[in-house]
Amino acid sequence: MEEKKIVRAEGERKPASAPIKVEGKPKALRIGAVACWVVAIVFEVLCVLIVAGKISMFSQPLTGIIVTLVVDMLFALGGSLLWKKANHIDPASEANKTKFWLWNNLGVIITALAFIPAIIVILLSKNIDKKTKTFGTIVAVIAMAIAGVGSYDFNPVSQEELQETYGNPDLDVYWVATGEKYHTHADCQHLKSSTQEEIIVGSIGQAEEAGKTELCKTCFKRDQKEKEAAANNALETPAVEEE
């Protein structure tokens, strides 16, 4: 593939004038997350009904308990992963600390709701034997732990962080004449595959003036990975002792 020519944007470099938007559909992701969480709660209810002897979906109560708890875990975790992805595309603002905390911990909260009531019912039930109660509790606790850890966002993103990272007028971003995306990497596959012969480089404000409204999600993911790698390297690199 022929190397594209990179040209400097005309005019003065400017900071971002609008909130940074990452390419994606956060609303659809949040709807998908809520749908998954609803299914998780439904399977928790099924588990409770099996323990209470109200329904007999399987020959052995323990089998029904394990199956419903595993499905509960899968949907609880799936919903949380979708929610975290939406948060990184459209993050909450740290200005509202309550919403910011809730938005970034909602997956963990839902996971707790999807398992703790079932665990309590299993422990207090008089309809199942001791073996079923023991194994059912163990499975429930393990499933909740797996879903809980997977639901927690160890690197939450805020609106302020996005603005600080990408809104700086000194940051170079790249775009082509067509489309609505700008990129933080000149070698992004989407720029390379463009039919345009020139790649324009400038500040994000200049990109906005050129009609570019969203940060490329591929570049954003690459930035996130590089950020995490740099943080891990900083933790792993031993401090040099001064003589």
Side-chain angles (χ1 to χ4, degrees):
M1 183 180 295
E2 185 179 350
E3 195 71 21
K4 296 183 183 296
K5 181 181 179 182
I6 298 180
V7 297
R8 179 66 60 178
E10 297 180 357
E12 181 184 354
R13 296 182 69 92
K14 300 177 181 178
S17 60
I20 304 299
K21 293 183 179 179
V22 180
E23 176 188 2
K25 298 180 179 179
K27 185 175 181 180
L29 291 171
R30 295 195 196 283
I31 292 173
V34 172
C36 286
W37 287 335
V38 169
V39 175
I41 297 297
V42 168
F43 273 89
E44 179 190 27
V45 172
L46 289 175
C47 177
V48 169
L49 292 175
I50 290 172
V51 173
K54 300 296 183 180
I55 58 174
S56 54
M57 299 174 63
F58 300 87
S59 58
Q60 297 294 328
L62 181 58
T63 303
I65 292 170
I66 292 173
V67 170
T68 52
L69 287 174
V70 169
V71 177
D72 183 358
M73 177 193 72
L74 293 175
F75 277 96
L77 180 58
S80 296
L81 293 177
L82 290 175
W83 189 264
K84 285 197 294 184
K85 186 174 181 180
N87 282 345
H88 282 244
I89 294 173
D90 180 30
S93 170
E94 289 184 287
N96 186 333
K97 296 187 181 299
T98 301
K99 180 181 178 181
F100 184 75
W101 182 89
L102 180 63
W103 235 232
N104 288 292
N105 291 279
L106 190 57
V108 177
I109 295 170
I110 298 297
T111 296
L113 293 175
F115 285 97
I116 290 178
I119 292 173
I120 293 173
V121 171
I122 292 172
L123 288 172
L124 299 179
S125 176
K126 297 180 180 179
N127 296 307
I128 54 178
D129 56 45
K130 185 176 180 180
K131 178 183 176 181
T132 300
K133 185 177 295 188
T134 300
F135 277 98
T137 303
I138 291 172
V139 170
V141 171
I142 292 174
M144 181 174 67
I146 293 173
V149 172
S151 298
Y152 186 74
D153 193 344
F154 292 92
N155 296 291
V157 179
S158 68
Q159 287 183 6
E160 290 79 5
E161 182 181 348
L162 277 185
Q163 210 68 22
E164 181 180 353
T165 302
Y166 296 103
N168 192 324
D170 295 328
L171 175 70
D172 276 338
V173 293
Y174 306 84
W175 66 91
V176 292
T178 56
E180 299 177 347
K181 312 293 185 297
Y182 56 86
H183 309 256
T184 53
H185 299 272
D187 59 350
C188 176
Q189 63 191 49
H190 301 295
L191 284 175
K192 286 186 174 182
S193 62
S194 170
T195 57
Q196 300 296 309
E197 296 180 356
E198 292 184 340
I199 295 175
I200 306 166
V201 57
S203 71
I204 191 170
Q206 290 172 302
E208 289 175 340
E209 289 181 344
K212 313 307 169 184
T213 58
E214 293 181 328
L215 168 62
C216 166
K217 62 182 178 182
T218 302
C219 288
F220 178 69
K221 290 178 181 178
R222 184 170 165 183
D223 292 338
Q224 292 292 98
K225 289 181 179 179
E226 290 176 355
K227 179 183 175 182
E228 290 175 11
N232 291 333
N233 289 337
L235 291 174
E236 294 172 1
T237 303
V240 178
E241 296 184 2
E242 294 183 2
E243 296 183 359

